Amino acid sequence: MTDLVESDDELLDPQPAPGGDRRARLTALARRLRPGTRTGIADDEREADPRRRQRVLQAGALALALAAGAGATGVAVHKADLHRDQSRVQDRLLLHMLGGGASLTYAGVGARDGVSLPDSFDDPMPTDLTIGLRNDGARALEITGVRIRQPGVDVVDPAPKALVKPGESVALTTRIAVRCTAADLPSAPTGATLTVRTAADRGQAAGAPTDVPLTFAAAASGATKAAGISGPVEALQDSGLGQAYLIGSYVTDSFYQLCGGVLAKMPAGISAGAPSSDASPQNPVVRYTLHVAGTPGAAQEVTTPTGTTTVAGVSAQTDLTGPRPIGPSGVDVTVTDRITDCAAFGQFLAVHDGASSAAMWLSYAAPVTVQAADPKFRVAGVSGTGLSEMDALNSSGFDSQDALLDQVAAACPEL
């Protein structure tokens, strides 16, 4: 006789006929996987094997240990990341460049109007280039070097080292020499490179030196350019320096305006001559000539200014039909002053130092000026070298003045 063995599998999970209910199959499968359910003789044998049970327990313990270790490692890494981020914030260099660029101050002081002018326009002009910075970081900064590399500019004395505490500002001034006639001189300073590091503080060592390249805003334009940054450094800029040129103080943000302002103060070489004439009451005309040699080292021209001094009873004109270049040997200009009203001219002289000042006021009335031939050196609002205050006539001595006064007396005997 053949024994019939019915396994627990068959009793607990009777197989439905083909095509049976799918839900019933899933329900039976769930019962089989229920914890504590025995699945027959094979399961009893595994439970009865103590070595297998020990291996299972050891594997579970190892899994718990690995999980705990991973959790501890994650906490440690997270704390290290927070500490590192905080250190980065503390060590970050945050510089704010004030004004968006550099200011230029002509550094010649002394004889003429408080300013010592160069002998020639092609002489290097001593100038102070100043950069304003504010420390917006969390630690004090040491600025150990300022490098300026500009065509047409020589560094004479770099800015000294500076310590800038958080929230404080500093002006870094470098003495440079500007070669105004250099063909590659830019219109304005374009940038500088600072060497910066965090200062030693409370047991913390000083940081490593970091080069910070700064890009200046365009001169007098109000535009702001993004600063070039290297390493963990942030540099901010704002506009606002603009055109700070002040005649007499020679402060600007433009090399061209600096050179042009100084040139406008440099005296041109001028001599005057008053040849004999046929002046009379019927022909009240006073004539003289000007020989203009110009400023040494500068390309200049003689022209008629847009505005002239009004002298009562006098009209003045020249033989200029447009700007006339001043060549190597200079240029001659003929000035004609017509006394249209002797009485009005006499009254004007009476309240302006008398008849002896006639030559000076005729010189004032002359519509002649010397200006830079290159438009980039013409400063807005500042005319060229005027032929006034008897500069032209006095340069030739009293003979020219006496000859001019004789013409005035012949034209207006009552003076």
Side-chain angles (χ1 to χ4, degrees), residues 273-279 283-289 317 334-338 362 400 403-404 407-408:
S276 59
S277 69
D278 55 354
N283 184 33
V285 174
V286 176
R287 292 187 178 89
Y288 59 92
T289 61
Q317 64 182 23
T334 300
V335 181
T336 300
D337 292 327
R338 179 173 292 276
L362 290 175
S400 296
L404 190 60
Q407 293 187 45
V408 173

mmCIF file of all heavy atoms in Angstrom, residues 273-279 283-289 317 334-338 362 400 403-404 407-408:
data_model
loop_
_atom_site.group_PDB
_atom_site.id
_atom_site.type_symbol
_atom_site.label_atom_id
_atom_site.label_comp_id
_atom_site.label_asym_id
_atom_site.label_seq_id
_atom_site.Cartn_x
_atom_site.Cartn_y
_atom_site.Cartn_z
ATOM 1 N N GLY A 273 54.407 142.737 -28.768
ATOM 2 C CA GLY A 273 55.038 143.874 -29.441
ATOM 3 C C GLY A 273 53.960 144.844 -29.887
ATOM 4 O O GLY A 273 52.879 144.428 -30.311
ATOM 5 N N ALA A 274 54.254 146.150 -29.747
ATOM 6 C CA ALA A 274 53.294 147.183 -30.139
ATOM 7 C C ALA A 274 53.969 148.100 -31.151
ATOM 8 O O ALA A 274 54.607 149.101 -30.780
ATOM 9 C CB ALA A 274 52.820 147.964 -28.924
ATOM 10 N N PRO A 275 53.874 147.805 -32.410
ATOM 11 C CA PRO A 275 54.537 148.625 -33.420
ATOM 12 C C PRO A 275 53.851 149.991 -33.548
ATOM 13 O O PRO A 275 52.723 150.177 -33.100
ATOM 14 C CB PRO A 275 54.356 147.801 -34.698
ATOM 15 C CG PRO A 275 53.114 146.998 -34.455
ATOM 16 C CD PRO A 275 53.112 146.695 -32.992
ATOM 17 N N SER A 276 54.564 150.914 -34.148
ATOM 18 C CA SER A 276 53.982 152.245 -34.351
ATOM 19 C C SER A 276 52.766 152.132 -35.256
ATOM 20 O O SER A 276 52.684 151.249 -36.113
ATOM 21 C CB SER A 276 55.023 153.185 -34.966
ATOM 22 O OG SER A 276 55.463 152.660 -36.211
ATOM 23 N N SER A 277 51.797 153.032 -35.053
ATOM 24 C CA SER A 277 50.562 152.986 -35.838
ATOM 25 C C SER A 277 50.113 154.410 -36.126
ATOM 26 O O SER A 277 50.682 155.384 -35.632
ATOM 27 C CB SER A 277 49.467 152.224 -35.073
ATOM 28 O OG SER A 277 49.044 152.955 -33.951
ATOM 29 N N ASP A 278 49.055 154.495 -36.904
ATOM 30 C CA ASP A 278 48.506 155.798 -37.268
ATOM 31 C C ASP A 278 47.240 156.094 -36.482
ATOM 32 O O ASP A 278 46.283 156.685 -37.006
ATOM 33 C CB ASP A 278 48.230 155.870 -38.771
ATOM 34 C CG ASP A 278 47.324 154.730 -39.219
ATOM 35 O OD1 ASP A 278 47.022 153.833 -38.378
ATOM 36 O OD2 ASP A 278 46.908 154.714 -40.388
ATOM 37 N N ALA A 279 47.217 155.688 -35.212
ATOM 38 C CA ALA A 279 46.035 155.911 -34.386
ATOM 39 C C ALA A 279 45.770 157.406 -34.248
ATOM 40 O O ALA A 279 46.695 158.223 -34.098
ATOM 41 C CB ALA A 279 46.221 155.280 -33.016
ATOM 42 N N ASN A 283 40.749 157.673 -36.317
ATOM 43 C CA ASN A 283 41.049 156.242 -36.495
ATOM 44 C C ASN A 283 41.479 155.663 -35.129
ATOM 45 O O ASN A 283 42.647 155.354 -34.924
ATOM 46 C CB ASN A 283 42.173 156.069 -37.535
ATOM 47 C CG ASN A 283 42.451 154.594 -37.826
ATOM 48 O OD1 ASN A 283 41.551 153.755 -37.802
ATOM 49 N ND2 ASN A 283 43.725 154.270 -38.077
ATOM 50 N N PRO A 284 40.517 155.525 -34.213
ATOM 51 C CA PRO A 284 40.853 155.111 -32.832
ATOM 52 C C PRO A 284 41.133 153.602 -32.735
ATOM 53 O O PRO A 284 40.374 152.857 -32.113
ATOM 54 C CB PRO A 284 39.619 155.506 -32.036
ATOM 55 C CG PRO A 284 38.502 155.383 -33.018
ATOM 56 C CD PRO A 284 39.067 155.757 -34.362
ATOM 57 N N VAL A 285 42.209 153.186 -33.347
ATOM 58 C CA VAL A 285 42.543 151.760 -33.391
ATOM 59 C C VAL A 285 43.914 151.553 -32.753
ATOM 60 O O VAL A 285 44.885 152.240 -33.095
ATOM 61 C CB VAL A 285 42.547 151.231 -34.834
ATOM 62 C CG1 VAL A 285 43.052 149.789 -34.868
ATOM 63 C CG2 VAL A 285 41.150 151.312 -35.431
ATOM 64 N N VAL A 286 43.968 150.583 -31.830
ATOM 65 C CA VAL A 286 45.219 150.213 -31.161
ATOM 66 C C VAL A 286 45.556 148.780 -31.567
ATOM 67 O O VAL A 286 44.714 147.877 -31.452
ATOM 68 C CB VAL A 286 45.077 150.317 -29.628
ATOM 69 C CG1 VAL A 286 46.349 149.834 -28.935
ATOM 70 C CG2 VAL A 286 44.723 151.739 -29.211
ATOM 71 N N ARG A 287 46.788 148.598 -32.057
ATOM 72 C CA ARG A 287 47.193 147.261 -32.523
ATOM 73 C C ARG A 287 48.453 146.808 -31.791
ATOM 74 O O ARG A 287 49.313 147.616 -31.470
ATOM 75 C CB ARG A 287 47.458 147.254 -34.032
ATOM 76 C CG ARG A 287 46.240 147.454 -34.898
ATOM 77 C CD ARG A 287 46.601 147.259 -36.380
ATOM 78 N NE ARG A 287 45.442 147.398 -37.250
ATOM 79 C CZ ARG A 287 45.031 148.561 -37.772
ATOM 80 N NH1 ARG A 287 45.715 149.667 -37.519
ATOM 81 N NH2 ARG A 287 43.980 148.596 -38.554
ATOM 82 N N TYR A 288 48.510 145.486 -31.575
ATOM 83 C CA TYR A 288 49.745 144.886 -31.057
ATOM 84 C C TYR A 288 49.771 143.427 -31.501
ATOM 85 O O TYR A 288 48.755 142.858 -31.935
ATOM 86 C CB TYR A 288 49.862 145.022 -29.538
ATOM 87 C CG TYR A 288 48.746 144.384 -28.740
ATOM 88 C CD1 TYR A 288 48.850 143.069 -28.292
ATOM 89 C CD2 TYR A 288 47.604 145.120 -28.413
ATOM 90 C CE1 TYR A 288 47.848 142.491 -27.548
ATOM 91 C CE2 TYR A 288 46.591 144.543 -27.669
ATOM 92 C CZ TYR A 288 46.702 143.231 -27.231
ATOM 93 O OH TYR A 288 45.712 142.658 -26.512
ATOM 94 N N THR A 289 50.936 142.813 -31.421
ATOM 95 C CA THR A 289 51.097 141.410 -31.825
ATOM 96 C C THR A 289 51.517 140.583 -30.615
ATOM 97 O O THR A 289 52.182 141.077 -29.694
ATOM 98 C CB THR A 289 52.150 141.259 -32.941
ATOM 99 O OG1 THR A 289 53.409 141.731 -32.447
ATOM 100 C CG2 THR A 289 51.736 142.016 -34.193
ATOM 101 N N GLN A 317 39.354 142.240 -31.637
ATOM 102 C CA GLN A 317 39.328 141.095 -32.551
ATOM 103 C C GLN A 317 40.757 140.714 -32.903
ATOM 104 O O GLN A 317 41.692 141.471 -32.663
ATOM 105 C CB GLN A 317 38.533 141.411 -33.813
ATOM 106 C CG GLN A 317 39.141 142.513 -34.657
ATOM 107 C CD GLN A 317 38.307 142.838 -35.889
ATOM 108 O OE1 GLN A 317 37.120 142.573 -35.935
ATOM 109 N NE2 GLN A 317 38.946 143.434 -36.885
ATOM 110 N N THR A 334 47.837 138.703 -34.359
ATOM 111 C CA THR A 334 47.655 140.157 -34.363
ATOM 112 C C THR A 334 46.334 140.503 -33.704
ATOM 113 O O THR A 334 45.285 139.946 -34.056
ATOM 114 C CB THR A 334 47.674 140.707 -35.794
ATOM 115 O OG1 THR A 334 48.931 140.401 -36.397
ATOM 116 C CG2 THR A 334 47.449 142.213 -35.800
ATOM 117 N N VAL A 335 46.392 141.445 -32.744
ATOM 118 C CA VAL A 335 45.200 141.863 -32.003
ATOM 119 C C VAL A 335 44.892 143.313 -32.378
ATOM 120 O O VAL A 335 45.785 144.171 -32.405
ATOM 121 C CB VAL A 335 45.413 141.749 -30.484
ATOM 122 C CG1 VAL A 335 44.150 142.173 -29.729
ATOM 123 C CG2 VAL A 335 45.803 140.327 -30.109
ATOM 124 N N THR A 336 43.617 143.575 -32.663
ATOM 125 C CA THR A 336 43.169 144.923 -32.994
ATOM 126 C C THR A 336 42.091 145.337 -32.000
ATOM 127 O O THR A 336 41.042 144.685 -31.905
ATOM 128 C CB THR A 336 42.599 144.994 -34.416
ATOM 129 O OG1 THR A 336 43.618 144.602 -35.352
ATOM 130 C CG2 THR A 336 42.116 146.395 -34.746
ATOM 131 N N ASP A 337 42.359 146.417 -31.241
ATOM 132 C CA ASP A 337 41.386 146.949 -30.290
ATOM 133 C C ASP A 337 40.871 148.279 -30.849
ATOM 134 O O ASP A 337 41.644 149.225 -31.062
ATOM 135 C CB ASP A 337 42.035 147.200 -28.921
ATOM 136 C CG ASP A 337 42.438 145.906 -28.242
ATOM 137 O OD1 ASP A 337 41.736 144.897 -28.432
ATOM 138 O OD2 ASP A 337 43.467 145.893 -27.528
ATOM 139 N N ARG A 338 39.592 148.353 -31.076
ATOM 140 C CA ARG A 338 38.981 149.600 -31.555
ATOM 141 C C ARG A 338 38.269 150.262 -30.375
ATOM 142 O O ARG A 338 37.401 149.655 -29.743
ATOM 143 C CB ARG A 338 37.991 149.321 -32.677
ATOM 144 C CG ARG A 338 37.307 150.576 -33.216
ATOM 145 C CD ARG A 338 36.471 150.259 -34.431
ATOM 146 N NE ARG A 338 37.330 149.877 -35.546
ATOM 147 C CZ ARG A 338 37.919 150.755 -36.372
ATOM 148 N NH1 ARG A 338 37.743 152.063 -36.196
ATOM 149 N NH2 ARG A 338 38.680 150.335 -37.356
ATOM 150 N N LEU A 362 43.165 146.369 -22.055
ATOM 151 C CA LEU A 362 43.124 146.005 -23.466
ATOM 152 C C LEU A 362 43.543 144.546 -23.641
ATOM 153 O O LEU A 362 43.019 143.828 -24.498
ATOM 154 C CB LEU A 362 44.017 146.927 -24.284
ATOM 155 C CG LEU A 362 43.528 148.372 -24.423
ATOM 156 C CD1 LEU A 362 44.575 149.227 -25.148
ATOM 157 C CD2 LEU A 362 42.196 148.414 -25.178
ATOM 158 N N SER A 400 56.863 147.847 -24.603
ATOM 159 C CA SER A 400 55.614 147.504 -25.273
ATOM 160 C C SER A 400 54.438 148.224 -24.640
ATOM 161 O O SER A 400 53.537 148.706 -25.335
ATOM 162 C CB SER A 400 55.379 145.988 -25.218
ATOM 163 O OG SER A 400 56.381 145.302 -25.934
ATOM 164 N N ALA A 403 54.552 151.912 -25.742
ATOM 165 C CA ALA A 403 54.117 152.075 -27.130
ATOM 166 C C ALA A 403 52.610 151.920 -27.234
ATOM 167 O O ALA A 403 51.948 152.639 -28.007
ATOM 168 C CB ALA A 403 54.821 151.045 -28.014
ATOM 169 N N LEU A 404 52.034 150.987 -26.465
ATOM 170 C CA LEU A 404 50.586 150.785 -26.505
ATOM 171 C C LEU A 404 49.854 151.988 -25.906
ATOM 172 O O LEU A 404 48.835 152.452 -26.451
ATOM 173 C CB LEU A 404 50.225 149.501 -25.745
ATOM 174 C CG LEU A 404 48.786 149.008 -25.878
ATOM 175 C CD1 LEU A 404 48.461 148.713 -27.332
ATOM 176 C CD2 LEU A 404 48.562 147.766 -25.029
ATOM 177 N N GLN A 407 49.581 154.793 -28.340
ATOM 178 C CA GLN A 407 48.479 154.603 -29.307
ATOM 179 C C GLN A 407 47.139 154.978 -28.672
ATOM 180 O O GLN A 407 46.285 155.610 -29.324
ATOM 181 C CB GLN A 407 48.434 153.147 -29.774
ATOM 182 C CG GLN A 407 49.638 152.706 -30.606
ATOM 183 C CD GLN A 407 49.451 151.307 -31.174
ATOM 184 O OE1 GLN A 407 48.386 150.988 -31.695
ATOM 185 N NE2 GLN A 407 50.493 150.512 -31.076
ATOM 186 N N VAL A 408 46.957 154.614 -27.403
ATOM 187 C CA VAL A 408 45.716 154.965 -26.712
ATOM 188 C C VAL A 408 45.595 156.493 -26.605
ATOM 189 O O VAL A 408 44.496 157.064 -26.833
ATOM 190 C CB VAL A 408 45.670 154.324 -25.312
ATOM 191 C CG1 VAL A 408 44.459 154.834 -24.515
ATOM 192 C CG2 VAL A 408 45.616 152.801 -25.430
#
